[in-house]
Amino acid sequence: MITRFDVYIEDYVVFIDVYFSLPYHRFKDDKVLKLHFIGVTEYEFYWNNTFTFYTVERYKFFKSEKGFYLSTDPYDEAETTLEEDRDIIFCREVEGYFI
């Protein structure tokens, strides 16, 4: 489940931090995963109050010709970027941390 998005700019570079709650993670002390997206070139998120915030049932995450790609609401699970994919991030680099 996504618990938080941070979108910010430093020195003309866009960053997005996405925090995932991991209640069933095998390491009981590390229950939050932070993905740090560096050099974001495109992003799109949508939410309204008729949906639960923000359960991830499926996702796509791979490196494409445009950089790293994440969709937390993909149309399908193929390693291709599709117009029908939702909640997307394109970026140059990604780092991940357990916090």
Side-chain angles (χ1 to χ4, degrees), residues 25-91:
H25 192 271
R26 65 182 178 188
F27 303 114
K28 297 301 179 193
D29 293 336
D30 297 325
K31 291 186 178 182
V32 175
L33 171 65
K34 174 186 174 182
L35 293 182
H36 179 61
F37 297 89
I38 303 162
V40 174
T41 56
E42 180 180 349
Y43 72 90
E44 173 265 322
F45 301 118
Y46 175 77
W47 177 83
N48 71 42
N49 64 358
T50 61
F51 298 106
T52 303
F53 186 88
Y54 188 87
T55 302
V56 177
E57 295 176 6
R58 299 184 308 154
Y59 66 92
K60 288 185 192 182
F61 182 62
F62 61 91
K63 189 169 185 179
S64 75
E65 63 281 348
K66 290 175 68 176
F68 289 95
Y69 178 78
L70 172 72
S71 171
T72 57
D73 189 10
Y75 179 75
D76 67 19
E77 294 174 2
E79 284 192 11
T80 58
T81 61
L82 298 172
E83 289 290 322
E84 295 86 4
D85 289 343
R86 298 290 173 248
D87 303 329
I88 64 157
I89 299 173
F90 278 107
C91 69

